[in-house]
Amino acid sequence: MLCQQCNKNEAEKYYMGNWNGNLFLAAFCADCVDQMGHKASAAGYGEVFHRMTGWVEGKEDPRADGTVPFPEQADPKLITRTRLNALRYRLEEAASREDYQEAARLRDVIRAMEQEEGCHEF
C-alpha cells in the first residue's frame, strides 16, 4: 500500500480513526509521518499530534511493526469490525487502481466474514 500523503513510498505507519462514526484507515510512509510531526510541532500542535496518532517526532514507534493496533483481548465484534473496515478500505483502493482481481478477492473475503458474523454491517 502506498503512502496516502506522497503516493510514492510504501506505507509503514497506519492510523485508524473515527470520523463522524465512520472508521477509516490512513497509511503513511515514515518520511511523511516525520514531516507531519515536525509541522505539527512547529505549529504548536506536537502534543495533539502525539495524542491523536501515538507517534512522537524523532522517537521510535513504541509498537513493533506488524503488531495489532489494539489488544487481541478486545471485544470480538470490535476486532471483526476493524478487520472488515480495513478490508473495505483495501477493496476501494484496489478498485481505484483497477486491480479487479484483487478487488473481487477482497469482496469475497468481506462477504464470507459478514456471513460468518450473521450481518452485513456493524
Side-chain angles (χ1 to χ4, degrees):
M1 177 182 301
L2 289 179
C3 172
Q4 290 178 237
Q5 186 76 15
C6 68
N7 290 311
K8 296 177 187 173
N9 301 323
E10 196 65 28
E12 299 174 35
K13 305 274 187 178
Y14 298 89
Y15 174 74
M16 183 164 277
N18 184 328
W19 182 261
N20 293 331
N22 295 310
L23 290 177
F24 66 91
L25 178 70
F28 304 103
C29 67
D31 291 340
C32 287
V33 169
D34 288 342
Q35 289 175 5
M36 288 186 288
H38 182 69
K39 287 178 183 177
S41 294
Y45 294 103
E47 183 58 33
V48 173
F49 181 80
H50 170 65
R51 277 198 315 267
M52 288 180 63
T53 64
W55 304 325
V56 179
E57 180 188 2
K59 291 190 180 178
E60 280 291 317
D61 190 347
R63 201 171 44 232
D65 289 339
T67 60
V68 293
F70 54 90
E72 284 296 326
Q73 62 267 26
D75 179 42
K77 286 188 178 192
L78 174 63
I79 293 170
T80 301
R81 185 173 65 219
T82 302
R83 289 181 179 150
L84 280 169
N85 284 331
L87 287 168
R88 288 182 186 115
Y89 177 83
R90 289 175 51 200
L91 171 63
E92 288 178 24
E93 187 178 70
S96 70
R97 288 191 321 265
E98 298 181 2
D99 184 352
Y100 300 118
Q101 185 175 2
E102 177 67 3
R105 186 188 71 76
L106 290 166
R107 179 203 59 212
D108 294 343
V109 170
I110 291 168
R111 282 185 183 165
M113 285 181 70
E114 288 172 342
Q115 287 176 350
E116 187 176 301
E117 290 299 315
C119 64
H120 294 285
E121 191 69 38
F122 282 92

